Amino acid sequence: MNVHDSEKIAGILEGMGYASCDSVENADIIVFNTCCIRETAEQKIYGHIGAVKNLKRKNPNLIAVVCGCMSQQEGVADKIKESYPYVDIVLGTANLNMLEQAIVSARKKKKYYNVDFMQYREEDFNQSRTSYPNAWVNINYGCNNFCTYCIVPYVRGREHSRPMQDILREVRQLLDDGYEEITLLGQNVNSYGHDLQEGETFAKLLHEIGKLEGKFRLRFMTSHPKDLSQDVIDAIAQHTNICDNIHLPVQSGSNEILRKMNRRYTREDYFALVDKIRSKLPSVGITTDIMVGFPEETEQDFEDTLDLVRRVKYSSAFCFVYSRRKGTPAYSMENQVPYAVKKERITRLLACQNEVTKEISQTMVGNCYEVLVEGANFRYQNTMCGRTESGRLVNFKCDDSYIGKFVTVLIERASSATLWGKIVKSED
Ligand code: 5AD
Ligand code: SF4
């Protein structure tokens, strides 16, 4: 979501005639697109903003912009105004379209602070695309779920679906422009359409895109387990261009912790959902987000998470240490878990998922998979990488003329998370 927001920021600036440069010393505008989901990201950004003071001494015409979800947090815009007066523009997550106007005003030395929730339309400005052959497409914004640890509903506002016709128009244009992979984005894609007309659901959107002509892949993220419907699973099964790959954050394997997190499912519900998905999509890759160290998490709760990870067999997992966010209910919960315990648990969780990934990787060796070539793996010479339909990253030797092509790769070896193979067939 944040990467795509940065593409929008870049698009607006390019539309005004700016071009990107590779050093802050040479910049006329510096934009900080911030994230506040965890504390570490937030701390880093204040350090970077502080460094603007010196840069401005050297270049008084430099324009500094802070946007993204951090600026939307209560009190942050005022804090920036007071403690970082050299920041010219503060914008929120929903009013990026004001950036052009804000820069025009900053050029006249007039500051612009606006963090109102006034959801822009994607069509209101140009977007720069940086992830060919993939293109990101927003389908809904904000979140109504209020998981007790999460700041997102406060900084991205209430759920709001984009009109289906607008999404379809954007997707058709991207396919005409040559993108081979579309990734639909929303905090909770499965609740797409709740605020639209009857029948405008996420499953319907998948069918409409799945029906489009031409060879391309469709992915989406993120799915909340409580809202993933049978209709969506059926749509994935019906259309070959919708990838058998579901990002299904579980967060914890303990019922007690899930309840305290306000996730509104139990581990049994989750297992039943995974069974339902796998019975319809046998080669599906399921990925997840997991958190350790939520307040009051006991050793037994954590063991339940490890047990769930072993049983579900995720193809990969983003594992996080719980970070206390001011303004969320979990912030004031008693019995916060000490950092040393969190650290020990994350190490064990990562090791556990590593074992699972290794096991899955071994079963892939000797088989062929269709891969969309995404780009170079710069750590190795003449090596490109791409993903299988299920979302696993594969490395193979070829030159960059293959980027954007579908190839068939024979997996030759696996080193835990990384798969290595060779191209055995390529389109044209
Ligand atoms: N601390 C740690 N991780 C968090 N996430 C959301 N809020 C927090 C927090 N306070 C994680 C969740 C979510 C992912 C995007 O970030 O796992 O799924
Ligand atoms: Fe945060 Fe929960 Fe909404 Fe995801 S569903 S954005 S974790 S509140």
Side-chain angles (χ1 to χ4, degrees), residues 143 145-147 149-150 152-153 187 224 263:
C143 182
N145 285 319
F146 291 94
C147 302
Y149 50 81
C150 186
V152 169
Q187 306 296 342
H224 194 303
R263 290 293 290 176

Side-chain angles (χ1 to χ4, degrees), residues 36-39 147-152 187 222 247 249-251 261 263 288-292 294 318-325 328 330:
C36 61
I37 204 155
R38 281 170 289 275
E39 197 183 358
C147 302
T148 55
Y149 50 81
C150 186
I151 195 85
V152 169
Q187 306 296 342
T222 290
H247 187 61
V250 68
Q251 313 296 359
M261 286 177 164
R263 290 293 290 176
T288 201
D289 294 345
I290 311 177
M291 207 181 294
V292 299
F294 185 81
F318 295 105
C319 302
F320 305 107
V321 166
Y322 165 70
S323 169
R324 210 171 163 190
R325 305 284 57 211
T328 64

Side-chain angles (χ1 to χ4, degrees), residues 70-307:
M70 193 182 92
S71 48
Q72 204 84 60
Q73 255 178 304
E74 213 187 319
V76 167
D78 289 338
K79 175 176 168 179
I80 294 175
K81 209 184 250 177
E82 269 168 38
S83 311
Y84 304 86
Y86 39 84
V87 169
D88 303 279
I89 297 169
V90 177
L91 279 180
T93 48
N95 57 1
L96 271 185
N97 57 325
M98 303 308 283
L99 184 59
E100 177 163 357
Q101 186 183 324
I103 288 173
V104 171
S105 129
R107 280 189 196 140
K108 296 180 198 144
K109 304 286 174 207
K110 249 182 96 191
K111 291 189 185 303
Y112 190 98
Y113 288 67
N114 183 348
V115 291
D116 293 344
F117 278 114
M118 285 167 41
Q119 187 56 54
Y120 58 80
R121 289 182 71 240
E122 304 284 325
E123 291 71 17
D124 285 350
F125 48 83
N126 276 335
Q127 305 195 5
S128 163
R129 299 276 172 184
T130 56
S131 59
Y132 175 83
N134 174 70
W136 311 100
V137 175
N138 280 104
I139 66 162
N140 52 358
Y141 313 88
C143 182
N144 289 351
N145 285 319
F146 291 94
C147 302
T148 55
Y149 50 81
C150 186
I151 195 85
V152 169
Y154 306 91
V155 293
R156 289 206 179 252
R158 291 295 64 70
E159 237 171 61
H160 172 76
S161 303
R162 196 176 160 200
M164 197 175 285
Q165 287 315 319
D166 290 356
I167 300 169
L168 292 172
R169 200 176 307 117
E170 184 176 348
V171 170
R172 274 192 229 106
Q173 186 61 53
L174 288 164
L175 296 177
D176 284 350
D177 291 346
Y179 288 88
E180 274 94 10
E181 185 178 81
I182 304 290
T183 305
L184 305 178
L185 290 176
Q187 306 296 342
N188 181 13
V189 287
N190 300 96
S191 62
Y192 173 80
H194 281 188
D195 50 342
L196 299 177
Q197 277 177 10
E198 185 80 23
E200 307 257 288
T201 61
F202 184 53
K204 162 110 189 292
L205 179 64
L206 288 181
H207 282 297
E208 292 298 323
I209 301 177
K211 281 192 304 207
L212 297 176
E213 304 244 310
K215 182 155 176 71
F216 69 96
R217 281 178 168 182
L218 180 65
R219 299 186 188 276
F220 54 86
M221 69 195 312
T222 290
S223 292
H224 194 303
K226 76 175 167 57
D227 296 318
L228 184 75
S229 68
Q230 184 66 47
D231 289 350
V232 166
I233 302 171
D234 293 344
I236 302 171
Q238 186 180 328
H239 299 279
T240 49
N241 47 13
I242 306 181
C243 289
D244 287 2
N245 182 194
I246 302 181
H247 187 61
L248 197 64
V250 68
Q251 313 296 359
S252 169
S254 150
N255 280 340
E256 193 50 25
I257 296 296
L258 287 171
R259 192 184 59 74
K260 287 178 183 151
M261 286 177 164
N262 189 32
R263 290 293 290 176
R264 285 174 277 175
Y265 54 83
T266 61
R267 60 187 266 126
E268 291 75 22
D269 296 335
Y270 192 90
F271 285 133
L273 178 60
V274 168
D275 285 348
K276 204 157 83 170
I277 295 170
R278 290 219 164 107
S279 69
K280 194 87 195 190
L281 307 166
S283 50
V284 69
I286 302 179
T287 56
T288 201
D289 294 345
I290 311 177
M291 207 181 294
V292 299
F294 185 81
E296 291 183 14
E297 184 186 65
T298 61
E299 176 60 23
Q300 184 54 52
D301 292 323
F302 175 64
E303 297 268 346
D304 288 350
T305 297
L306 292 181
D307 175 68

